């Protein structure tokens, strides 16, 4: 009977083409069975709302539409007032949103990072596959429970247990602030195996400002923690070996070297008591004394390499000067020393580490650099100390430096050993090398117990 302009724009039919014809005659419904279903419902219930159908325009374009209708009387005749809304754009947006959400769900589900969604009560609403696998708990088991109800114990790096309220999720809910890059250990109450995670907990807010959820993400750093523990044990063992090294050096110097000297003196006394007729015995004793002198020299050299006596007695500066003098005599390489005037005594472990680095560096210079000159630069204050050993040789292989390769003394452990010594003391070792030479550079912070030898002499 009548249509408005919006209807003509939707269908493409003019007023003249529409009036006096039915929707069936215009083929507006793509599915005639669907039209019959909606019309039957309208006749039965007198009203229908938002019945979706595919509307075909005059040009043949299909649009998604919603039909609403009400039975009315007009001049005593039964009629129907119908409204048709084009919802194509809305349906396309909804479909795109559903597809996007599905892609996001798939991404989160298969993501290599653990993802857990907590509700405002800290109970688990969702956990992706990685999180389920790492914790050994299915989503069905976890849903609707918090971590405490799942018998999960959280621990700090020092091994102490973290109360439930201080765990990342509950804390983010309570403080309304994100928790970032926090290391936590997790274990089942019936197990000693610990899962170490580096995690974040980010609160989500409802329109009224309340916390609606918390998104927790975390990575598995268990292997890294195990490697750190192994490195710590290695460092501890290295320190023990250094203590044993010092003890052995002292015993060689104070005991064995003295015993060799005593034997030499006894042989000298025996030689003096021989008569002129015992010339062969005299020669044998002289040869024995020569061997003992050589043995004594070797013992003292070995003792010095293990732990130079001057290092304990007079400190790092004196030990470096003695080492440099001996190095120049043995190698023929001129060595310049630039040592800060009044350089203070350092803690024993710091002096030992720096001296060993000097030994290792000089050994590499002698064996591999081809340099004729080298320099040692040492300076420091109450907060830090820096050391440089510089040569003007042909340089070192870059890959060898990166891998930690390098020849050291017969008692050394090369570049890896030097780096490990610095790591133990919180310092840093860098090696710069080119065709014009190599620089070994060390920087190390000093703790408060660093003292001047004049005010705090060693026993």
């Amino acid at each position: 009977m009548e249509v408005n302009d919006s209807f003509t724009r939707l269908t493409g039919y003019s007023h003249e083409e529409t009036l006096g014809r039915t929707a069936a005659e215009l083929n507006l419904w793509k599915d005639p069975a669907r039209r019959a279903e909606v019309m039957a419902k309208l006749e039965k219930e007198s009203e229908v709302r938002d019945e979706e159908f595919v509307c075909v325009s005059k040009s043949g374009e299909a649009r998604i539409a919603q039909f609403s209708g009400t039975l009315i009387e007009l001049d005593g005749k039964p009629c129907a007032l119908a409204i048709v809304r084009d919802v194509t754009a809305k349906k396309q947006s909804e479909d795109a949103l559903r597809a996007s959400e599905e892609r996001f769900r798939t991404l989160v589900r298969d993501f290599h990072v653990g993802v857990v969604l907590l509700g405002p009560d800290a109970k688990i609403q969702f956990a992706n596959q990685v999180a389920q696998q790492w914790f050994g708990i299915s989503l069905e088991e976890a849903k609707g429970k918090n971590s405490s109800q799942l018998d999960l114990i959280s621990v700090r790096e020092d091994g102490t247990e973290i109360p439930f309220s201080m765990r990342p999720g509950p804390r983010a809910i309570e403080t309304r602030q994100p928790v970032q890059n926090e290391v936590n250990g997790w274990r089942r109450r019936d197990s000693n195996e610990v899962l170490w995670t580096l995690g974040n907990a980010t609160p989500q807010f409802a329109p009224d400002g309340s916390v609606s959820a918390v998104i927790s993400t975390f990575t598995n750093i268990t292997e890294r923690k195990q490697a750190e523990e192994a490195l710590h044990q290695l460092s501890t063992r290295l320190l023990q070996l250094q203590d044993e090294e010092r003890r052995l050096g002292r015993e060689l110097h104070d005991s064995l070297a003295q015993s060799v000297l005593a034997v030499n003196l006894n042989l000298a006394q025996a030689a003096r008591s021989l008569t002129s007729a015992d010339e062969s015995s005299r020669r044998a004793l002289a040869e024995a004394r020569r061997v003992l002198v050589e043995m004594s020299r070797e013992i003292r050299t070995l003792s010095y390499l293990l732990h130079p006596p001057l290092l304990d007695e007079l400190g790092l500066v004196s030990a470096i000067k003695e080492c440099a003098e001996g190095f120049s005599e043995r190698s023929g390489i001129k060595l310049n020393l630039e040592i800060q005037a009044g350089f203070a005594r350092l803690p024993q472990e710091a002096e030992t580490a720096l001296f060993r680095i000097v030994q290792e560096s000089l050994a590499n210079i002698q064996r591999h650099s081809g340099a004729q000159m080298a320099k040692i630069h040492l300076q420091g204050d109450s907060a830090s100390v820096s050391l440089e050993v510089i040569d003007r040789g042909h340089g070192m292989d870059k890959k060898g430096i990166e891998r930690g390769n390098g020849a050291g003394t017969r008692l050394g452990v090369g570049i890896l050993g030097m780096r490990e010594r610095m790591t133990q003391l919180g310092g840093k070792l860098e090696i710069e090398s080119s065709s014009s030479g190599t620089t070994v550079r060390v920087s190390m912070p000093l703790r408060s117990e660093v003292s001047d030898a004049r005010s705090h002499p060693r026993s």
Side-chain angles (χ1 to χ4, degrees), residues 171-245:
R171 202 162 83 242
I173 294 172
E174 177 65 27
T175 64
R176 301 169 57 85
Q177 297 294 322
V179 177
Q180 297 180 333
N181 299 324
E182 184 162 302
V183 176
N184 291 94
W186 302 87
R187 67 176 178 85
R188 301 291 292 268
R189 194 171 296 277
D190 56 355
S191 173
N192 292 323
E193 293 186 8
V194 178
L195 170 71
W196 289 100
T197 63
L198 178 65
N200 302 280
T202 306
Q204 307 296 302
F205 299 97
D208 63 0
S210 62
V211 175
S212 60
V214 172
I215 299 175
S216 296
T217 60
F218 50 89
T219 54
N220 186 344
I221 60 169
T222 304
E223 290 186 0
R224 191 188 83 181
K225 290 291 291 183
Q226 291 171 345
E228 289 176 353
E229 179 61 25
L231 181 60
H232 174 70
Q233 292 177 0
L234 178 62
S235 299
T236 301
R237 178 58 180 157
L238 184 56
L239 288 173
Q240 293 171 346
L241 289 174
Q242 289 173 353
D243 291 338
E244 184 66 17
E245 181 182 277

Side-chain angles (χ1 to χ4, degrees), residues 141-191:
E141 293 176 286
K143 206 166 184 180
K145 298 178 182 177
N146 60 41
S147 57
S148 180
Q149 292 170 328
L150 292 171
D151 283 337
L152 283 175
I153 297 174
S154 182
V155 296
R156 301 181 180 89
E157 290 186 88
D158 61 6
T160 58
E161 185 173 340
I162 302 175
F164 175 76
S165 61
M166 295 304 295
R167 297 179 186 182
R171 202 162 83 242
I173 294 172
E174 177 65 27
T175 64
R176 301 169 57 85
Q177 297 294 322
V179 177
Q180 297 180 333
N181 299 324
E182 184 162 302
V183 176
N184 291 94
W186 302 87
R187 67 176 178 85
R188 301 291 292 268
R189 194 171 296 277
D190 56 355
S191 173

Side-chain angles (χ1 to χ4, degrees), residues 395-425:
M396 298 175 63
D397 176 58
K398 184 177 180 181
K399 291 183 178 179
I401 294 173
E402 292 172 351
R403 291 192 302 265
N405 297 338
T409 67
R410 54 182 167 168
L411 295 173
V413 287
I415 295 171
L416 284 175
M418 292 193 289
R419 284 180 173 152
E420 179 59 25
R421 289 178 190 274
M422 279 300 98
T423 299
Q424 293 170 16
L425 299 172

Side-chain angles (χ1 to χ4, degrees), residues 346-374:
L346 307 177
Q348 185 182 60
E349 64 270 20
E351 289 193 337
T352 300
L354 292 170
F355 182 75
R356 288 298 184 224
I357 290 173
V358 170
Q359 280 186 313
E360 299 282 357
S361 301
L362 293 181
N364 284 332
I365 291 172
Q366 182 178 356
R367 296 187 181 198
H368 303 287
S369 73
Q372 298 302 311
M373 293 185 61

Side-chain angles (χ1 to χ4, degrees), residues 42 46-49 67-73 79-83:
L42 174 62
S46 299
E47 185 179 48
V48 293
R49 289 283 183 269
F67 176 93
S68 298
T70 303
L71 294 182
I72 61 174
E73 283 191 6
C79 299
L81 178 63
I83 298 174

Side-chain angles (χ1 to χ4, degrees), residues 226-447:
Q226 291 171 345
E228 289 176 353
E229 179 61 25
L231 181 60
H232 174 70
Q233 292 177 0
L234 178 62
S235 299
T236 301
R237 178 58 180 157
L238 184 56
L239 288 173
Q240 293 171 346
L241 289 174
Q242 289 173 353
D243 291 338
E244 184 66 17
E245 181 182 277
R246 286 192 289 268
R247 185 191 65 78
L248 184 57
R250 291 192 188 98
E251 287 186 2
L252 284 172
H253 179 267
D254 298 338
S255 179
L256 187 56
Q258 299 302 320
S259 297
V260 171
L261 177 60
V263 172
N264 199 358
L265 293 175
N266 289 337
L267 290 177
Q269 185 176 357
R272 286 194 297 271
S273 66
L274 293 175
T275 64
S276 58
D278 298 322
E279 185 60 30
S280 61
S281 299
R282 190 183 302 277
R283 285 196 299 272
L285 287 173
E287 177 62 19
R289 291 189 66 199
R290 187 194 66 77
V291 172
L292 283 172
V293 169
E294 183 64 27
M295 185 186 298
S296 178
R297 185 180 298 110
E298 287 291 327
I299 289 173
R300 291 185 183 277
T301 300
L302 185 60
S303 171
Y304 181 84
L305 289 173
L306 283 168
H307 191 72
L310 276 179
L311 194 58
D312 279 341
E313 296 167 7
L314 299 178
L316 179 63
V317 173
S318 297
I320 288 179
K321 288 179 178 178
E322 184 181 53
C323 177
E325 183 178 346
F327 171 78
S328 294
E329 289 178 0
R330 292 191 305 272
S331 65
I333 299 173
K334 183 178 179 181
L335 193 58
N336 295 323
L337 299 182
E338 295 182 359
I339 299 177
Q340 177 182 316
F343 190 87
R345 290 298 301 270
L346 307 177
Q348 185 182 60
E349 64 270 20
E351 289 193 337
T352 300
L354 292 170
F355 182 75
R356 288 298 184 224
I357 290 173
V358 170
Q359 280 186 313
E360 299 282 357
S361 301
L362 293 181
N364 284 332
I365 291 172
Q366 182 178 356
R367 296 187 181 198
H368 303 287
S369 73
Q372 298 302 311
M373 293 185 61
K375 179 173 71 174
I376 297 175
H377 179 73
L378 178 67
Q379 66 177 17
D381 52 32
S382 60
S384 63
V385 61
S386 63
L387 168 71
E388 289 183 338
V389 183
I390 306 167
D391 71 67
R392 292 291 176 258
H394 50 63
M396 298 175 63
D397 176 58
K398 184 177 180 181
K399 291 183 178 179
I401 294 173
E402 292 172 351
R403 291 192 302 265
N405 297 338
T409 67
R410 54 182 167 168
L411 295 173
V413 287
I415 295 171
L416 284 175
M418 292 193 289
R419 284 180 173 152
E420 179 59 25
R421 289 178 190 274
M422 279 300 98
T423 299
Q424 293 170 16
L425 299 172
K428 183 178 182 181
L429 181 141
E430 298 175 318
I431 299 177
E432 297 177 0
S433 191
S434 66
S435 58
S436 59
T438 299
T439 298
V440 177
R441 182 177 294 110
V442 173
S443 57
M444 182 177 66
L446 297 178
R447 298 192 296 272

